[in-house]
Amino acid sequence: MNGCRPSRSVKIYVEGGGDTNNLKSECRRAFSKIFESAGLATRMPRIVACGSRGAAYDDFCTALRVMSAGDMVLLLVDSEGPVDVSNNGKPWSHLKARDNWDHPPGATEDHVHLMVQCMENWFLADRQALSDFYGQHFKNHSLPANPNIEQIEKSRVLDGLEKSTRDTQKGEYGKGKHSFKILEKIDVQKIMGASPWAKRFFDELLKP
């Protein structure tokens, strides 16, 4: 899966990392880990943890305007809801309908990618990793059972994570407390197998 693309540097503007440098560092480390696992160790993208979803969009638009020829900037944000089948492969249409975000000049559909419906949906692709992270008293049966992880509402995912982890030694799932520590342990092949939108994202990164 490794390849050589010396002429193109890729920078990804990611939603996440909150407002603290420590959490932004955890965000960058976690995405670096799964990019390495995906086969990108020799041509790692640069990850920019932007904090809020809106900040990620604004930072991406700015970067798109000033990027050098041959470089690539990508935006990775939660879809925050189901993506209508009519918008398959058309993330800008989803973002316009949901957030009224304009499609910036120069951007193509390949520039924007969605975590459907949020990053935590990816965790459901690898329940063994969740169980290994939380250990004793983790309740797998409290997680949503639907194998189509993109169909599971964000609120049900977060509720399931809280209930399944409440009695563990690490304590109840918390977005800042546990999210990026879990992300770096999730099997990226399982994410791609369970989430077509995630596969679309990694396929873009892995293009020769």
Side-chain angles (χ1 to χ4, degrees), residues 2-141:
N2 289 334
C4 182
R5 192 167 51 186
S7 63
R8 183 173 94 154
S9 70
V10 179
K11 189 181 291 187
I12 306 172
Y13 292 82
V14 181
E15 170 187 1
D19 298 323
T20 68
N21 289 334
N22 184 55
L23 202 54
K24 283 184 168 65
S25 177
E26 284 194 24
C27 176
R28 290 191 295 270
R29 185 181 66 241
F31 275 101
S32 292
K33 292 269 189 183
I34 61 171
F35 291 160
E36 287 177 10
S37 297
L40 292 159
T42 60
R43 49 187 175 110
M44 284 290 288
R46 182 178 170 189
I47 301 142
V48 183
C50 298
S52 75
R53 192 162 175 272
Y57 172 69
D58 291 342
D59 290 349
F60 164 78
C61 291
T62 299
L64 190 68
R65 286 195 298 271
V66 301
M67 73 176 184
S68 302
D71 290 344
M72 183 73 159
V73 295
L74 303 179
L75 174 65
L76 178 65
V77 293
D78 293 344
S79 69
E80 295 289 348
V83 180
D84 190 271
V85 66
S86 66
N87 289 331
N88 280 347
K90 296 186 285 187
W92 286 118
S93 297
H94 172 79
L95 295 173
K96 180 64 177 177
R98 191 196 176 282
D99 302 286
N100 199 30
W101 287 0
D102 289 324
H103 183 156
T108 71
E109 300 291 358
D110 290 341
H111 283 97
V112 62
H113 295 268
L114 302 174
M115 294 179 279
V116 181
Q117 301 184 17
C118 64
M119 185 180 73
E120 283 83 352
N121 285 64
W122 287 7
F123 299 171
L124 301 183
D126 190 355
R127 292 161 189 256
Q128 186 60 53
L130 277 172
S131 179
D132 291 345
F133 179 80
Y134 282 102
Q136 193 174 16
H137 303 306
F138 174 75
K139 297 174 182 173
N140 186 48
H141 64 272

Side-chain angles (χ1 to χ4, degrees), residues 103-192:
H103 183 156
T108 71
E109 300 291 358
D110 290 341
H111 283 97
V112 62
H113 295 268
L114 302 174
M115 294 179 279
V116 181
Q117 301 184 17
C118 64
M119 185 180 73
E120 283 83 352
N121 285 64
W122 287 7
F123 299 171
L124 301 183
D126 190 355
R127 292 161 189 256
Q128 186 60 53
L130 277 172
S131 179
D132 291 345
F133 179 80
Y134 282 102
Q136 193 174 16
H137 303 306
F138 174 75
K139 297 174 182 173
N140 186 48
H141 64 272
S142 294
L143 296 172
N146 189 347
N148 188 336
I149 62 173
E150 293 187 345
Q151 290 183 346
I152 305 170
E153 295 175 359
K154 176 179 178 178
S155 60
R156 290 191 58 224
V157 174
L158 297 180
D159 183 62
L161 284 170
E162 290 171 1
K163 288 178 178 175
S164 66
T165 58
R166 191 162 292 156
D167 297 327
T168 65
Q169 191 170 15
K170 285 188 171 72
E172 185 174 289
Y173 174 78
K175 194 165 184 68
K177 186 169 60 173
H178 295 155
S179 56
F180 297 119
K181 294 181 178 66
I182 295 170
L183 179 63
E184 68 182 50
K185 297 182 182 303
I186 298 293
D187 185 330
V188 69
Q189 298 300 326
K190 291 182 179 179
I191 298 173
M192 288 192 281

